[in-house]
């Protein structure tokens, strides 16, 4: 039997090994040096015995001693569909495995090819580039959403022109970014949006279009499908048009958003998602919305937390209390289990309210980052407005290399090991090594201090 790396697997080299992205199934993996070496030998020509002998020679040890580790690792690769011993039907694989893979992020490495979990080790060994980037291509928007983190409305002066946007996408491809989310504002207001999306896809970057859906016509949906777009996300907050329109600030927004959503489904975009911002306005409506979207054929629903930042600063009264968040997520998890089809994602900003204290560190500036229309690079989309970017002393790709910003921006360097800088009760907390203080955007939204404790954390340190 001669194993080969399965199609749809994208690899990226780091100083300690490799990261793999399974674009078909949406999973992420990490390989240590031995794992990387074994995978490189899976070329459809070498047998398992050939691979074992080669690795044994690398380690100057008998093949019989190396065989158990090699066979165990190859079995891991096979179980997770990273290698194949024959042809693979993509549609059948996605149908059978997508739901399972989308619910996990498997990390593999360590001594003796053992499995490890979590991403805390990226503090000690920062990634050469982010795994993914959220790219806000314009601040222009035809809606006036009450929560808008970017405070979108009119196009801001100095937005990146087409050629600079395309060059930035090429730079991301050279850095082997796995995926990109094209957002706004409303990205469909840009006349060059199809050119931007096409450039991402031609560069083999997994691409998601995040839109309010109101400008999606049947023809535009078909064009997106023809370009090769595989993921589109539409913002929908309620079944009730009045609730959605009130939150989105424009009458008729719900009708047009649902029409755009149906056009994307009709066009055959493989992965059509919905993003819903949980607030006081729709708290009781979201479970019914999940049922409706499930029947409609939506693959994912992403639940985002309302934070008083950007335009949301004027509506802090819409933010859910901790107990409301816990209640809502409990109901939604039960619905997901009962459905067996729609996958419900919860943003990391929900983590502290649900478990009373953060269980893992913020990944903004560590695994991913966001870029706003003027090229300012910030940790996450919650912090994407020009006002916040300037407050955080963010640097822009308009006058500095993105690779240099990713590596040397002082805020990112701080966020990669916040244990050294956390303020307030976090500074003396016994859990700060694992939780990193929780959601940095939440801390900033409520306190204007990026290193303050997440205000939704209820834990009081014992030290």
């Amino acid at each position: 039997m001669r194993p080969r790396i399965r199609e749809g697997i994208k690899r990226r080299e780091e100083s300690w090994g490799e990261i793999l992205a399974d674009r078909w199934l949406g999973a992420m993996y990490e390989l240590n040096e031995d794992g990387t070496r074994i995978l490189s030998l899976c070329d459809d020509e070498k047998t398992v015995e050939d691979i074992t002998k080669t690795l044994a020679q690398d380690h100057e040890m008998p093949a019989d001693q190396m065989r158990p580790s090699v066979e165990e690792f190859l079995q891991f690769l096979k179980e997770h569909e990273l290698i194949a011993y024959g042809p693979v039907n993509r549609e059948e694989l996605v149908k059978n495995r997508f739901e399972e893979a989308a619910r996990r992020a498997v990390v593999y490495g360590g001594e003796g090819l053992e499995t490890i979990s979590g991403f805390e080790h990226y503090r000690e060994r920062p990634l050469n580039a982010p795994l993914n980037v959220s790219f806000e291509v314009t601040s222009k928007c035809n809606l006036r959403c009450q929560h808008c983190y970017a405070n979108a409305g009119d196009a801001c002066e100095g937005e990146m022109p087409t050629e600079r946007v395309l060059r930035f996408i090429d730079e991301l491809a050279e850095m082997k970014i796995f995926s990109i989310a094209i957002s706004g504002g409303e990205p469909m207001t840009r006349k060059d949006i199809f050119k931007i999306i096409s450039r991402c896809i031609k560069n083999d970057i997994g691409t998601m279009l995040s839109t309010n859906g109101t400008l999606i016509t049947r023809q535009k949906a078909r064009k997106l499908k023809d370009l090769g777009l595989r993921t589109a996300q539409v913002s929908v907050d309620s079944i009730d048009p009045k609730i959605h329109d009130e939150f989105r600030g424009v009458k008729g927004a719900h009708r047009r958003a649902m029409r755009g959503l149906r056009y994307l489904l009709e066009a055959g975009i493989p992965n059509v998602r919905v993003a819903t911002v949980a607030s006081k306005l729709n708290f009781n409506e979201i479970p019914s919305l999940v049922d409706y979207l499930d029947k409609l054929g939506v693959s994912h629903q992403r639940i985002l937390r309302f934070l008083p930042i950007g335009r949301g600063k004027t509506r802090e009264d819409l933010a859910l209390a901790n107990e409301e968040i816990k209640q809502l997520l409990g109901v939604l998890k039960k619905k997901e289990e009962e459905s067996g089809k729609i996958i419900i994602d919860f943003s990391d900003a929900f983590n502290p309210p649900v478990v009373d204290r953060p269980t893992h560190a913020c990944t903004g500036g560590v695994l991913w980052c966001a870029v706003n229309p003027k090229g300012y690079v910030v940790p996450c989309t919650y912090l994407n407005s020009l006002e916040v970017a300037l407050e955080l002393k963010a640097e822009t790709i308009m006058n500095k290399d993105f690779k240099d910003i990713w590596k040397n921006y002082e805020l990112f360097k701080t966020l990669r090991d916040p244990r050294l800088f956390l303020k307030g009760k976090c500074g003396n907390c016994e859990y700060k090594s694992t939780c990193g203080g929780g959601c940095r955007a939440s801390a900033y939204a409520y306190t204007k201090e990026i290193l303050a404790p997440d205000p939704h954390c209820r834990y009081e340190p014992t030290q």
Side-chain angles (χ1 to χ4, degrees):
M1 297 195 350
R2 293 174 168 81
R4 60 177 174 78
I5 301 173
R6 200 206 74 213
E7 295 87 353
I9 304 298
K10 191 167 184 178
R11 305 167 63 183
R12 194 175 89 191
E13 186 176 347
E14 299 287 337
S15 60
W16 38 263
E18 279 192 345
I19 294 176
L20 306 182
D22 185 343
R23 271 99 55 84
W24 288 8
L25 298 177
M28 196 78 66
Y29 303 84
E30 177 185 302
L31 305 184
N32 63 8
E33 291 182 0
D34 281 341
T36 298
R37 177 64 166 147
I38 292 172
L39 191 68
S40 70
L41 297 170
C42 296
D43 58 6
D44 210 17
E45 295 183 359
K46 296 179 181 65
T47 65
V48 174
E49 190 62 29
D50 294 334
I51 295 172
T52 301
K53 289 179 179 178
T54 300
L55 206 67
Q57 291 173 358
D58 290 347
H59 286 268
E60 298 181 349
M61 63 187 296
D64 287 346
Q65 284 183 246
M66 180 59 66
R67 186 173 291 106
S69 290
V70 172
E71 291 179 348
E72 176 188 352
F73 184 66
L74 288 173
Q75 181 60 29
F76 171 88
L77 296 177
K78 178 66 174 66
E79 287 176 355
H80 293 84
E81 308 286 356
L82 295 169
I83 60 172
Y85 292 90
V88 177
N89 183 304
R90 174 176 180 156
E91 299 307 320
E92 194 65 25
L93 175 63
V94 171
K95 177 182 177 182
N96 293 336
R97 297 293 298 276
F98 181 78
E99 181 178 342
E100 174 192 347
R103 284 183 167 87
R104 68 170 189 265
V106 179
V107 184
Y108 205 93
E111 292 295 323
L113 305 176
E114 66 188 68
T115 303
I116 59 176
S117 62
F119 292 102
E120 288 82 4
H121 52 293
Y122 290 141
R123 296 170 180 166
E124 284 72 40
R125 49 182 197 186
L127 294 171
N128 294 329
L131 301 180
N132 47 69
V133 170
S134 177
F135 186 15
E136 182 186 331
V137 294
T138 182
S139 62
K140 185 177 181 179
C141 189
N142 58 328
L143 302 184
R144 293 297 182 271
C145 305
Q146 295 192 43
H147 75 290
C148 185
Y149 318 124
N151 202 14
D154 297 325
C156 64
E157 185 179 350
E159 288 191 358
M160 283 188 276
T162 302
E163 288 309 312
R164 184 64 188 94
V165 169
L166 299 181
R167 192 162 76 249
F168 176 54
I169 293 168
D170 290 343
E171 291 167 6
L172 295 180
E174 290 174 6
M175 295 171 70
K176 297 189 176 180
I177 302 297
F178 290 141
S179 61
I180 186 170
I182 301 295
S183 67
E186 173 47 50
M188 296 303 295
T189 62
R190 278 194 72 131
K191 294 180 180 179
D192 58 358
I193 188 60
F194 295 109
K195 186 178 291 186
I196 291 170
I197 292 171
S198 177
R199 191 63 153 251
C200 293
I201 293 169
K202 286 180 179 178
N203 270 312
D204 197 29
I205 302 174
T207 306
M208 179 179 78
L209 171 66
S210 182
T211 171
N212 63 39
T214 62
L215 301 180
I216 299 291
T217 64
R218 181 174 278 114
Q219 293 73 23
K220 289 177 180 178
R222 289 174 178 169
K223 186 167 183 177
L224 290 169
K225 176 64 164 60
D226 291 342
L227 287 176
L229 183 71
R230 298 194 61 80
T231 305
Q233 178 174 278
V234 179
S235 298
V236 181
D237 298 301
S238 176
I239 294 177
D240 188 338
K242 291 182 180 179
I243 293 175
H244 180 94
D245 290 358
E246 179 183 352
F247 192 57
R248 297 288 163 176
V250 174
K251 189 175 181 180
H254 182 270
R255 174 180 54 81
R256 288 180 285 150
M258 293 305 299
R259 182 182 61 193
L261 176 63
R262 291 189 179 93
Y263 285 152
L264 291 166
L265 289 165
E266 175 189 292
I269 303 291
N271 186 10
V272 178
R273 308 181 177 197
V274 161
T276 301
V277 179
S279 73
K280 296 281 190 181
L281 289 175
N282 64 351
F283 171 65
N284 294 316
E285 300 288 327
I286 294 177
S288 298
L289 178 61
V290 172
D291 290 337
Y292 180 75
L293 296 174
D294 192 17
K295 292 176 183 176
L296 200 62
V298 170
S299 62
H300 282 67
Q301 185 173 12
R302 182 157 176 76
I303 309 297
L304 302 169
R305 177 172 148 197
F306 180 97
L307 288 179
I309 197 167
R311 192 175 293 131
K313 286 191 298 185
T314 64
R315 292 304 312 269
E316 188 170 338
D317 59 300
L318 293 181
L320 294 176
N322 277 17
E323 289 305 317
E324 290 173 315
I325 291 173
K326 292 175 74 170
Q327 179 185 338
L328 175 63
L329 269 60
V331 171
L332 295 185
K333 280 188 173 293
K334 185 176 181 181
K335 278 195 171 292
E336 182 183 39
E337 292 168 1
E338 292 172 349
S339 164
K341 291 188 296 181
I342 194 168
I343 295 169
I344 303 176
D345 277 334
F346 306 100
S347 71
D348 272 359
F350 281 119
N351 180 243
V354 174
V355 293
D356 294 334
R357 69 169 179 84
T359 60
H360 57 269
C362 173
T363 58
V366 181
L367 301 183
W368 72 294
C369 66
V371 179
N372 76 15
K374 296 190 74 168
Y376 285 97
V377 183
V378 293
C380 77
T381 49
Y382 280 112
L383 305 170
N384 227 355
S385 73
L386 179 59
E387 176 189 3
V388 172
L390 293 176
E391 289 172 353
L392 295 177
K393 299 179 180 178
E395 297 173 298
T396 173
I397 63 172
M398 297 298 282
N399 55 33
K400 198 166 187 177
D401 185 68
F402 176 72
K403 186 182 295 186
D404 185 36
I405 296 174
W406 172 257
K407 182 179 179 181
N408 296 312
Y409 176 26
E410 284 302 319
L411 178 57
F412 284 1
K413 291 165 75 172
T414 298
L415 294 178
R416 285 163 192 163
D417 198 354
R419 298 170 295 182
L420 303 177
F421 305 99
L422 285 171
K423 299 180 179 181
K425 68 179 183 179
C426 291
N428 297 318
C429 183
E430 61 269 37
Y431 292 108
K432 69 178 181 180
S433 292
T434 53
C435 86
C439 176
R440 297 297 84 215
S442 179
Y444 192 80
Y446 284 98
T447 71
K448 298 289 284 186
E449 173 54 66
I450 196 75
L451 295 173
D454 187 316
H456 289 85
C457 174
R458 305 183 197 183
Y459 183 76
E460 291 298 328
T462 58
Q463 297 180 3

